[in-house]
Amino acid sequence: MGKLDLMGQDCDFKSGFVYNNLMYVAGSHIIEEISNSTWRELIESIVFAPLEMTGSVSCFREAKETGNWLKGYQPHEGSFVPLQDDCDAIIDLVGPAGSVHSTARDMNKYMNHIIKNNATAYTDLFWQPVINTGGHMSTTEELKTPPFPTTARYDDYTISWVLGEYANSEILMHGGDTFTTHTLIFLSRQEEYGVFVSSNGGGIARSKNQLISWYIQDLLMGNDPWLNASTICSFPEPWKKAQSSPNEDISWSQYQETSSVELKRYAGNYSSEIFGNVSILFQEDEGWDSFITG
């Protein structure tokens, strides 16, 4: 936390919206100092225990020990290859930003708590706009030709949630990524539903989870889904030309063909006031071999 001032500012305080996971860490650090408890102790006693979320834990190591985790896969040369089992462990360093490991049943309890059951004054704060995102979180605002068949706007940030609307219904939503999974949550007080989607397909999972959640929300609201076997595969076309995700199927051989000589230039030892020391090694027969930090 003592190094945050070395990162500089993108804009003046309260003058714009910039999403930053480190601010979740900073906020949690303040709460820890005030309460004299750790973030893990607080989330387990304030959230998990009262809601009987017995399948939820707050660090990767514990999730791995209980078997409550998804193995990660990444697109590679036409198929999916597994990631190292411990690649998500580093996220525990910024635990408040993404180290909750839960189950579908537990998330159902959590969503019900926010939407209708045992709601308290603090859950009402989730629905109060704090700052406008300036369009940073909107999904379909630019999809106008041909006319987009529904509304999907996420314009305001509240206390840890994005406030917007889907199909003219007010919703809270938030998404997040680790190295292995992508997760989306949607909540509607008006329609009294919650949708939780999580999958482990790398960068491809983000767009697929979005489409799945829209389809489910239409069903829950009694609408005829605008997504079908055709549009769910072609989206965002015909509204916008599809672009390949940087995480999608790009083989290592494609990199080697164009940049293996250039990559050698980056091998060496580096030092940063923020990130510490980094050593990058390069092997002739395999390309990038390892990154060593310390």
Side-chain angles (χ1 to χ4, degrees), residues 16-38:
F17 175 84
V18 181
Y19 188 85
N20 190 333
N21 280 321
L22 290 178
M23 292 300 99
Y24 281 92
V25 181
S28 298
H29 178 67
I30 293 171
I31 294 172
E32 288 179 333
E33 290 294 315
I34 295 173
S35 65
N36 198 32
S37 298
T38 66

Side-chain angles (χ1 to χ4, degrees), residues 17-201:
F17 175 84
V18 181
Y19 188 85
N20 190 333
N21 280 321
L22 290 178
M23 292 300 99
Y24 281 92
V25 181
S28 298
H29 178 67
I30 293 171
I31 294 172
E32 288 179 333
E33 290 294 315
I34 295 173
S35 65
N36 198 32
S37 298
T38 66
W39 170 78
R40 290 191 60 195
E41 291 169 343
L42 291 169
I43 196 169
E44 289 168 4
S45 63
I46 296 175
V47 180
F48 295 169
L51 297 181
E52 298 181 349
M53 296 173 64
T54 56
S56 300
V57 297
S58 55
C59 75
F60 175 80
R61 176 186 53 76
E62 192 172 351
K64 183 79 177 295
E65 290 174 354
T66 61
N68 178 25
W69 65 292
L70 287 174
K71 187 173 182 63
Y73 290 84
Q74 195 74 6
H76 181 72
E77 296 185 345
S79 62
F80 285 85
V81 295
L83 299 174
Q84 293 181 354
D85 288 351
D86 61 350
C87 62
D88 270 350
I90 194 172
I91 294 175
D92 285 345
L93 295 175
V94 288
S99 281
V100 170
H101 301 261
S102 192
T103 66
R105 288 186 175 88
D106 276 4
M107 290 306 300
N108 182 54
K109 297 174 183 177
Y110 179 71
M111 292 188 294
N112 268 303
H113 172 68
I114 296 177
I115 296 169
K116 56 183 180 180
N117 293 332
N118 302 314
T120 61
Y122 87 87
T123 59
D124 288 335
L125 291 175
F126 295 158
W127 303 84
Q128 305 303 317
V130 174
I131 187 170
N132 188 275
T133 67
H136 283 72
M137 308 294 285
S138 292
T139 300
T140 60
E141 181 65 17
E142 75 278 15
L143 306 181
K144 298 178 179 178
T145 305
F148 198 69
T150 191
T151 57
R153 296 172 52 87
Y154 317 121
D155 294 331
D156 295 297
Y157 215 80
T158 72
I159 303 298
S160 301
W161 291 90
V162 181
L163 180 67
E165 65 177 53
Y166 178 74
N168 299 314
S169 177
E170 184 184 56
I171 61 167
L172 289 179
M173 66 81 65
H174 214 293
D177 299 273
T178 67
F179 293 107
T180 60
T181 59
H182 175 73
T183 299
L184 274 176
I185 304 176
F186 288 85
L187 303 170
S188 171
R189 286 193 302 186
Q190 178 180 332
E191 302 291 338
E192 293 192 334
Y193 70 70
V195 177
F196 169 72
V197 185
S198 189
S199 55
N200 58 345

